[in-house]
Amino acid sequence: MSTCSVSKGCFVFKPDTKKRKISSAADYFSKGNKDAEDSGLRFDTCQSLWKEIKRETEQLQEDLNKKLFDNLLDFLRTSHLDFKQKKTEWACRMKSREIPTAAVVLGVNVTDHDLTCKRLAEVLQDDVTPFVVTLRSKECPGIKNLLQKLMIQLMGCPIDMDSSEDEGSSKISPNRIRYSVSSLTDWYRNITKKADTETPCKKRIFSSSHWESPPVVVIFKDIESFTSKVLQDFIIISSHCICEFPLVLIFGIATSPMIIHKLLPHSVSSLLCIELFQSLSCKEHLTKVIDKLLLTSQFPFKLSEKVLQVLINIFLYHDFSVQNFIKGFQLCLLEHFYSQPLSVLCCEPQEAKKRVNVLSHSQCENIRRLPSFRRFVERQVSNQQTVLLTDDRGLKETVHVLLQDLHTFHENYFPVLCCLHAFTSSLPKYPLGKQIRELYCACLEKKVWETEEYESAIQLVRMLAKDELEAILEKCVEILKSSPANHLGHPLEKLEEYLSQLKNPEEVNEDQEQSISSLKELQKKTDLYHLQKTLLEMKESRRLKKLTKFEMLRFEIVGFVDGLVKNHLAPVEMQTLHEVMYFSAASTLREHLNAAPRVALHTALNNPYFYLKNESLKSDAGSISNTAPDICIAYKLHLECGRLINLVDWLEAFSTVVKAAENSNSTGEDQIDDVTHARFIRAVSELELLGFIKSTKQKTDHVARLTWGSC
């Protein structure tokens, strides 16, 4: 018996056999690609490159968190070192019932907290104690839920509560546990008693690296989201049992340590012995990540200025999440290898040489169509132009040289960039930005030496005192020494020579004091107008008097650094074949990351081929294909209706579209079978769930349309 009511349910029907399913990521990588040649090789290259990048970022995360974790371990050690050995002293010290508490300020980048807390729990479980519990606010709406989560995670260890009845260990059923702190105390006493003897339980739970009488560590990941009542009850109850077992609390704080006093009254917060810890700020973390991923020649894949600015803007104005920045970088990597056929050459120079030798004719034509390569050809003589445009072998030889030049460009680029940042970051007002990422974006965008900010920076550098200039040169020498670039040997020797001249006491004269006073005067200027006015006055006064030896040496150093900048920090777009290694589709990235839910829904339902890339889903504009998913058919039909939609008419139209392939001439209601009816009900229910329609009391057999206008 059929029905016309709108209801929710789950129905099973066999999909059209014509619909093709994408079986793997590699198939998707090549599917819909204009040039599927070498798509498998591009996918493998992308995957191996991402694995290397992921490994480096994880190692960086370990290094950045090491100091914080070491401080937390020291805190735990000092809090519970003598619990087992000096029980009476412990009880005397804990007479005030204070619970050792670490307040860890993790920052506002909440999405990064999961990774930090997970790694912290792993470190504690490896080196300190097997009893580490991580609690979230959404899992603990009440004190009973909190105790339940706490004890289930702790008693996941294979140990029986009643050791007197059964010496063998077995896993505890949650239904047998009475959720209270007294039960937790009994459990800790029993499990540590069994661990004192050589038993299989000790081997399974404890390791040689764990402390004797290991503490129970409870990590509150998002302390701001916990209700005040739950925290107060737990702390008060735990404070009565602190003499029985060592308990340590760790609060993950996103905002400010003052949140503890806002959540807890003084009578409760006085039960905590709080010590504050500060993790690395998210901005400093981002700077380290950019240094590791982009400001290095280790990875051939790079981002253009606009793409990098999109990722940085999302970081600064949305979530401050470093992990989301890395995910955005991964998306850029995937999009580059998916959309750029020549990304197969985005690899190490030795491997790129092998791949250049086996390029096909179509790939050679792709190279000839690159804008940067066209400009390169136009600069050649006519005979060389003919070879590059007609001879694939000659083209491959030239491409190999150009790729090697691009790699050399990167090796020289980043050390010189760091040297320039060493000069500009010490200047007042930071003309080229305080962070190196700001300077990097400026150099990627245009010829930085032609900007007003660069001219202002150079003028300020020409007024640096001897000690400041000497310190900056020492940084530059260290940077060039650690650089793998072979072409920077002469600049290194030159800077070392300048540094030795600066250290010569004969070069010191009274002009240094004038430089120091001039720089202090500049630092007092608070606006750009007065700063520029003072610079012009100082420039004019210096022009009229004779330069000292120190000033001449300083001008020579600044001129040399300026020459390095002009030689090695040219914009990337001036480099031939930069399209192979640089992802520049900022608009594509913005579409992926800046969510537009309504537009995405409309596109998916109105044109499913846009996302599924299934050839059977292609259809002319305005037509409705019977091969489309049921919800797409129902959605297109509902766009043709007014404010109220008659369900009977909607069902008949749906049935007509679905049975179009059967060449059925009859479209009456008696021709609608149960399967078609069920498919229609499910499609309508899905549209109602998405918010496109709703039931109405005006007419029982109608639904109201909720969305209007074009996307």
Side-chain angles (χ1 to χ4, degrees):
M1 180 177 178
S2 62
T3 177
C4 294
S5 64
V6 179
S7 60
K8 296 181 181 179
C10 180
F11 303 94
V12 179
F13 69 97
K14 295 181 179 181
D16 192 348
T17 56
K18 295 181 181 179
K19 297 180 181 179
R20 185 181 172 189
K21 197 173 182 180
I22 298 173
S23 58
S24 67
D27 293 337
Y28 174 75
F29 206 79
S30 60
K31 191 172 181 63
N33 213 321
K34 295 181 179 179
D35 190 350
E37 191 173 3
D38 287 339
S39 59
L41 181 59
R42 289 189 347 240
F43 178 76
D44 294 338
T45 305
C46 175
Q47 208 168 28
S48 62
L49 184 58
W50 170 245
K51 287 180 180 178
E52 187 178 356
I53 292 173
K54 184 179 180 182
R55 182 170 59 252
E56 291 291 336
T57 53
E58 289 176 351
Q59 183 59 46
L60 176 64
Q61 184 77 33
E62 293 280 340
D63 298 340
L64 295 178
N65 287 333
K66 187 177 186 305
K67 183 177 180 181
L68 172 64
F69 292 168
D70 290 345
N71 292 337
L72 285 171
L73 291 180
D74 292 339
F75 169 74
L76 290 174
R77 188 175 291 107
T78 55
S79 299
H80 290 290
L81 185 61
D82 54 354
F83 173 76
K84 180 69 176 178
Q85 299 173 350
K86 302 178 181 179
K87 196 75 175 288
T88 57
E89 183 179 338
W90 171 270
C92 179
R93 196 176 66 176
M94 290 299 163
K95 206 180 294 185
S96 60
R97 301 199 304 266
E98 289 185 348
I99 303 174
T101 304
V104 185
V105 181
L106 298 173
V108 295
N109 48 329
V110 180
T111 52
D112 296 341
H113 294 182
D114 289 341
L115 184 62
T116 304
C117 292
K118 179 182 177 182
R119 183 55 192 152
L120 174 60
E122 292 174 354
V123 170
L124 295 176
Q125 287 175 339
D126 291 340
D127 301 334
V128 179
T129 173
F131 311 130
V132 181
V133 178
T134 303
L135 300 177
R136 296 183 179 182
S137 58
K138 64 180 180 181
E139 299 172 345
C140 308
I143 185 63
K144 181 179 179 180
N145 305 97
L146 188 149
L147 291 174
Q148 180 180 6
K149 287 290 181 182
L150 173 66
M151 299 185 71
I152 287 178
Q153 289 190 47
L154 285 177
M155 297 180 184
C157 302
I159 183 69
D160 199 331
M161 285 285 293
D162 190 0
S163 60
S164 61
E165 295 180 2
D166 183 14
E167 292 298 327
S169 60
S170 60
K171 202 170 183 74
I172 303 172
S173 171
N175 296 327
R176 293 177 52 195
I177 302 175
R178 186 166 58 90
Y179 302 114
S180 64
V181 178
S182 60
S183 300
L184 179 62
T185 305
D186 295 339
W187 169 84
Y188 183 83
R189 186 185 303 112
N190 291 331
I191 199 171
T192 52
K193 184 188 301 181
K194 285 192 172 186
D196 288 339
T197 60
E198 291 292 337
T199 62
C201 170
K202 180 175 180 179
K203 294 180 180 179
R204 285 194 299 269
I205 302 174
F206 299 96
S207 67
S208 58
S209 61
H210 289 156
W211 298 351
E212 189 176 2
S213 296
V216 177
V217 181
V218 183
I219 302 175
F220 294 85
K221 294 181 68 171
D222 47 347
I223 191 67
E224 289 91 349
S225 301
F226 278 86
T227 59
S228 177
K229 176 66 175 173
V230 172
L231 288 176
Q232 291 181 41
D233 292 345
F234 177 72
I235 292 172
I236 292 174
I237 295 173
S238 301
S239 65
H240 293 287
C241 305
I242 191 63
C243 297
E244 302 296 330
F245 71 97
L247 175 67
V248 179
L249 306 181
I250 298 179
F251 292 162
I253 301 174
T255 53
S256 168
M258 291 301 297
I259 190 66
I260 297 177
H261 302 287
K262 291 182 180 179
L263 290 173
L264 305 175
H266 181 266
S267 58
V268 178
S269 62
S270 61
L271 300 176
L272 303 177
C273 180
I274 303 175
E275 187 168 335
L276 184 64
F277 298 88
Q278 178 71 54
S279 66
L280 189 70
S281 70
C282 52
K283 288 186 178 181
E284 294 176 353
H285 193 173
L286 176 67
T287 301
K288 299 288 186 182
V289 169
I290 291 179
D291 290 347
K292 197 73 172 178
L293 298 184
L294 297 177
L295 304 184
T296 175
S297 58
Q298 178 183 357
F299 304 116
F301 175 72
K302 304 294 177 187
L303 302 179
S304 69
E305 183 270 335
K306 291 183 179 179
V307 172
L308 180 58
Q309 203 61 55
V310 169
L311 292 178
I312 292 176
N313 287 342
I314 292 176
F315 172 85
L316 293 176
Y317 301 117
H318 286 77
D319 53 12
F320 286 102
S321 173
V322 178
Q323 296 304 316
N324 287 347
F325 180 89
I326 296 175
K327 290 178 182 178
F329 184 85
Q330 181 187 14
L331 179 60
C332 296
L333 181 70
L334 290 170
E335 188 66 30
H336 177 70
F337 277 88
Y338 174 75
S339 60
Q340 175 57 265
L342 295 174
S343 59
V344 70
L345 302 177
C346 184
C347 54
E348 295 298 324
Q350 296 80 3
E351 182 64 25
K353 181 179 179 180
K354 298 178 183 178
R355 297 183 181 184
V356 167
N357 294 331
V358 295
L359 287 177
S360 64
H361 177 71
S362 62
Q363 289 171 322
C364 291
E365 289 299 321
N366 288 334
I367 293 176
R368 293 184 177 106
R369 285 192 287 266
L370 293 177
S372 64
F373 188 78
R374 287 182 178 182
R375 293 193 296 268
F376 172 77
V377 173
E378 291 173 357
R379 297 195 299 267
Q380 308 302 312
V381 296
S382 58
N383 293 337
Q384 185 66 17
Q385 289 180 356
T386 304
V387 172
L388 293 174
L389 296 177
T390 58
D391 185 10
D392 289 350
R393 179 177 297 180
L395 175 68
K396 293 176 183 178
E397 295 176 357
T398 305
V399 167
H400 173 254
V401 174
L402 292 174
L403 288 176
Q404 186 61 44
D405 292 344
L406 188 58
H407 179 72
T408 304
F409 168 77
H410 286 149
E411 285 187 338
N412 299 335
Y413 186 95
F414 298 112
V416 175
L417 179 71
C418 294
C419 290
L420 178 60
H421 180 255
F423 276 92
T424 59
S425 61
S426 62
L427 301 176
K429 310 301 180 185
Y430 306 109
L432 289 172
K434 183 178 181 181
Q435 302 292 340
I436 192 171
R437 65 172 182 265
E438 299 171 340
L439 178 61
Y440 181 50
C441 289
C443 293
L444 286 176
E445 183 181 8
K446 51 191 172 183
K447 296 179 180 179
V448 68
W449 57 87
E450 295 180 352
T451 62
E452 295 181 2
E453 293 82 4
Y454 181 82
E455 291 295 332
S456 300
I458 288 296
Q459 291 183 23
L460 291 173
V461 170
R462 290 195 180 108
M463 290 180 286
L464 288 175
K466 173 184 174 295
D467 294 338
E468 293 175 318
L469 189 59
E470 184 178 328
I472 293 173
L473 285 183
E474 288 178 350
K475 288 182 183 179
C476 294
V477 169
E478 290 297 326
I479 291 170
L480 295 185
K481 280 184 177 179
S482 61
S483 168
N486 298 324
H487 297 77
L488 296 177
H490 174 67
L492 175 59
E493 295 176 358
K494 199 70 175 173
L495 289 178
E496 289 177 338
E497 179 183 346
Y498 289 140
L499 186 58
S500 63
Q501 293 179 21
L502 281 176
K503 291 182 178 180
N504 187 354
E506 295 179 359
E507 300 295 335
V508 182
N509 52 60
E510 66 279 359
D511 184 66
Q512 298 171 24
E513 299 178 0
Q514 298 177 5
S515 299
I516 295 174
S517 61
S518 300
L519 198 58
K520 289 182 178 179
E521 184 181 353
L522 285 173
Q523 291 175 343
K524 295 179 181 178
K525 304 301 180 182
T526 57
D527 58 89
L528 185 60
Y529 171 75
H530 289 91
L531 178 63
Q532 291 178 340
K533 182 179 179 181
T534 305
L535 285 173
L536 291 174
E537 292 175 353
M538 295 176 65
K539 182 179 179 181
E540 182 65 22
S541 64
R542 290 178 181 275
R543 188 179 63 84
L544 298 176
K545 72 174 186 177
K546 185 179 178 180
L547 296 177
T548 63
K549 290 182 179 180
F550 171 70
E551 287 180 329
M552 293 174 62
L553 179 60
R554 184 171 56 189
F555 269 79
E556 188 177 349
I557 293 173
V558 174
F560 179 76
V561 174
D562 184 48
L564 285 178
V565 170
K566 293 178 179 178
N567 290 333
H568 299 292
L569 295 187
V572 173
E573 294 183 355
M574 296 176 60
Q575 306 302 315
T576 308
L577 300 184
H578 71 272
E579 297 93 341
V580 173
M581 299 184 180
Y582 280 81
F583 177 70
S584 58
S587 58
T588 303
L589 178 65
R590 200 176 289 110
E591 290 176 2
H592 287 310
L593 298 182
N594 291 344
R598 185 187 173 194
V599 176
L601 274 176
H602 174 78
T603 304
L605 297 176
N606 194 48
N607 182 20
Y609 173 78
F610 183 82
Y611 290 107
L612 300 179
K613 303 299 181 186
N614 192 325
E615 295 295 329
S616 64
L617 297 177
K618 277 188 174 180
S619 61
D620 298 332
S623 63
I624 304 177
S625 173
N626 69 308
T627 59
D630 294 341
I631 188 174
C632 297
I633 298 174
Y635 177 78
K636 283 191 172 183
L637 291 172
H638 115 285
L639 292 178
E640 302 173 358
C641 302
R643 188 176 66 86
L644 295 178
I645 305 175
N646 189 314
L647 286 171
V648 177
D649 297 339
W650 197 3
L651 173 60
E652 291 180 355
F654 179 85
S655 176
T656 301
V657 174
V658 169
K659 295 183 177 181
E662 302 175 3
N663 296 323
S664 176
N665 295 325
S666 175
T667 58
E669 186 177 357
D670 57 331
Q671 298 295 324
I672 301 175
D673 54 32
D674 293 340
V675 174
T676 304
H677 201 168
R679 290 168 61 182
F680 172 75
I681 292 176
R682 186 180 69 169
V684 171
S685 299
E686 290 173 347
L687 289 177
E688 184 178 14
L689 180 64
L690 292 174
F692 290 103
I693 59 173
K694 71 172 183 178
S695 57
T696 177
K697 295 182 180 179
Q698 296 183 15
K699 294 184 179 180
T700 56
D701 57 346
H702 285 64
V703 292
R705 181 178 172 183
L706 299 178
T707 58
W708 304 91
S710 173
C711 295

